[in-house]
Each structure stands twice: as C-alpha cells, then as structure tokens.
Amino acid sequence: YISMFKSVIMSLQFDWIKILPESAELFCSVPLSLQNRVLRTLASIYDCYESLGSRSNTMATPKGFGVFSSIMIQSCDSHIYGLSRNLAMKSIQSVMKNVQRDDSVQFLDEELTLWIDVIDSDTIPTFCKLLEVSQAITVQHAVILSHSWQSYFPSKKIEETTFSPLISTSLVCIASEPMSCSESFVTAICKILTKILLSSFNPCLLASVIKYVFADFVATEEMYPATSKVIALFEYASTVLESSRDNILEKELALITILFGETNLH
C-alpha cells in the first residue's frame, strides 16, 4: 500500500516516531515478528519521503535518530539491530544534509558510521543535543574552521573540509562545558577524531581545529572527565601541524594506546 500510494502517505500529517514506544527496552520486549513489521514499515515510509524529496519526515530528525539508535543498542537480535541501525543511519544522514546544503563540505558516510559505532545508551542524549545544535550553528562552524586554519597557516589557502559540523560542535561542547560532559562521551569523541585524523590524507585542517579549540582547555591543567585522553589527542594534533613532525609515531602510539588500550583501532 505504501509503495503504491506514496502521495497519500506523504499527505498525512503524522509523527511516525509515535508508532514506537518511548522505551527501547519495551519495544525490544515484544515479539520479534512485530518488531520486524514495525521497523520495515517505517523504513518503507522513510523511503517514500526520500523518493519524493519531502522534508516533513519526522524520522529525519535528532529525535528520530535517538529512537532508532536506542533500539539498535538495546536489541539482542541481529536482524532488528540491522533494521534499526539502517534507520539511524538514514536519520543522521538526513539531518547533516539539511545542515550543509552546498558542496563545500564532503560529508563522508564513514564519519557518520563512526558516530553510530561509538554511541551507547549513556551518550545518546548528549549526541542528540549535538545534532540539534549543529543544525543552528552552520555559520559558527565556518568561522571556527577559518580561525583555526589562519592561526597556523595564515598564508595558505584553507583545505577542503571533509568532516561535518558535528566535529566542531562536539569539540566546543567539551572545551566550554567540560564538567557537563561524561567521560564516556569525551572518550567517544576522542576515538572518532583519532580515527579521522589517522585515516585522512589531509589531516591539517582537523588538527588545527582540535588545537585551536582545546588550547585553553589544555592550558588550565585542571582535571576533567577523560582529560588525559584530550591531552593525548591535543599533543598528536599539535605534532601533525609541525613541519618536521618529529616524534609523530610516538605520539600516535600513545594516543591509540590510551584510547583503545592496544596498538590498534578496534
């Protein structure tokens, strides 16, 4: 019915998220067959919105992402996990595409996958707030990038941006309100930034943003949640920005070890 009468479905003014209970635990307690039918139906409705280019999809919101990612984390069934993860990915992609509509920033699916991979039940509320804030500070994001780059490369043209406003938003959140950020949240952000830095062919822009935003945080020498991890990230970013890059392997090893416990990124 949904695939045959897309326009009819789209004409309904309804918050499709309300089909799901507020508790992911409650949803995951009902029979798997019902969970499957509900998520598959929502996925079909989501596809209708995308095919018609509609922006009134209530699932394509921070709230929608929070609901789907909560089910993803809570579910013990691989099939339900896959369905909810796919919907969570669609939600975050939609939100970020609405935040940045031009082509100046390449939003990499790999980055969004990293965000989904590190969140847990404790960090979902904070992350959803980040998504909401990111929708409202696109200008501030551009200003942060510009100031960061000019601070370290005043005579060079700024590199192409290959990371989303979620990065600058999360950094500013940690630097400006460190006591409101849990250790698990700060650790998650540091892991994402580390993986992006180590996999990027041009890490200097991100490294400059990290050093620029965290400069005062590190200078205070106060102990906040996961301070040691932030300092390790800051020191690695600083080394990336140095022309000689002396001791970069040593800094890289120290950063990976403190975040992941071993000399790998798993």
Side-chain angles (χ1 to χ4, degrees), residues 57-253:
N57 183 5
T58 56
M59 292 182 283
T61 60
K63 177 184 177 182
F65 173 81
V67 172
F68 293 132
S69 56
S70 294
I71 294 174
M72 176 190 74
I73 292 169
Q74 186 69 38
S75 180
C76 297
D77 181 81
S78 59
H79 182 65
I80 299 302
Y81 172 88
L83 288 173
S84 54
R85 180 187 173 85
N86 182 55
L87 283 164
M89 187 65 175
K90 285 178 176 289
S91 292
I92 190 173
Q93 286 175 329
S94 296
V95 171
M96 298 317 299
K97 286 178 181 177
N98 288 333
V99 168
Q100 187 70 43
R101 296 188 178 89
D102 59 47
D103 297 326
S104 62
V105 176
Q106 297 179 1
F107 290 105
L108 303 180
D109 286 344
E110 288 82 359
E111 182 199 324
L112 301 182
T113 298
L114 290 177
W115 288 102
I116 291 179
D117 286 342
V118 300
I119 61 173
D120 55 27
S121 56
D122 293 331
T123 56
I124 283 177
T126 304
F127 182 67
C128 287
K129 289 181 181 178
L130 279 182
L131 279 177
E132 292 177 356
V133 172
S134 295
Q135 295 179 101
I137 63 165
T138 54
V139 174
Q140 291 90 326
H141 171 65
V143 170
I144 289 172
L145 298 187
S146 177
H147 285 180
S148 300
W149 183 260
Q150 290 299 316
S151 295
Y152 304 104
F153 304 101
S155 60
K156 292 179 63 176
K157 181 181 178 181
I158 190 170
E159 292 179 351
E160 184 177 31
T161 307
T162 56
F163 52 89
S164 76
L166 280 171
I167 297 296
S168 57
T169 304
S170 61
L171 288 170
V172 171
C173 177
I174 295 171
S176 61
E177 300 179 53
M179 294 307 296
S180 67
C181 300
S182 67
E183 182 172 359
S184 59
F185 172 75
V186 176
T187 300
I189 299 303
C190 288
K191 286 183 175 181
I192 290 172
L193 294 170
T194 297
K195 289 184 176 182
I196 295 175
L197 279 173
L198 295 179
S199 63
S200 176
F201 289 108
N202 298 301
C204 288
L205 178 55
L206 178 56
S208 69
V209 173
I210 292 171
K211 188 172 182 180
Y212 178 80
V213 175
F214 278 155
D216 291 339
F217 177 96
V218 173
T220 61
E221 297 184 351
E222 293 186 38
M223 295 303 295
Y224 297 110
T227 294
S228 60
K229 297 171 183 177
V230 172
I231 292 175
L233 177 64
F234 179 88
E235 291 180 345
Y236 178 74
S238 299
T239 305
V240 168
L241 295 173
E242 295 173 359
S243 57
S244 62
R245 295 192 176 183
D246 292 335
N247 302 320
I248 192 168
L249 291 179
E250 178 184 338
K251 298 294 184 182
E252 180 179 315
L253 178 61

Side-chain angles (χ1 to χ4, degrees), residues 3-93:
S3 60
M4 293 177 62
F5 301 100
K6 293 182 180 180
S7 60
V8 175
I9 297 296
M10 297 303 97
S11 67
L12 299 177
Q13 299 299 315
F14 183 69
D15 183 357
W16 297 103
I17 291 297
K18 291 183 178 179
I19 290 179
L20 299 168
E22 293 185 3
S23 168
E25 184 177 1
L26 176 60
F27 177 81
C28 292
S29 68
V30 304
L32 288 175
S33 58
L34 180 56
Q35 294 181 45
N36 178 64
R37 289 176 62 185
V38 170
L39 291 178
R40 283 171 62 89
T41 298
L42 290 176
S44 295
I45 294 172
Y46 204 116
D47 290 342
C48 285
Y49 278 104
E50 289 192 327
S51 65
L52 296 176
S54 174
R55 292 183 179 175
S56 59
N57 183 5
T58 56
M59 292 182 283
T61 60
K63 177 184 177 182
F65 173 81
V67 172
F68 293 132
S69 56
S70 294
I71 294 174
M72 176 190 74
I73 292 169
Q74 186 69 38
S75 180
C76 297
D77 181 81
S78 59
H79 182 65
I80 299 302
Y81 172 88
L83 288 173
S84 54
R85 180 187 173 85
N86 182 55
L87 283 164
M89 187 65 175
K90 285 178 176 289
S91 292
I92 190 173
Q93 286 175 329

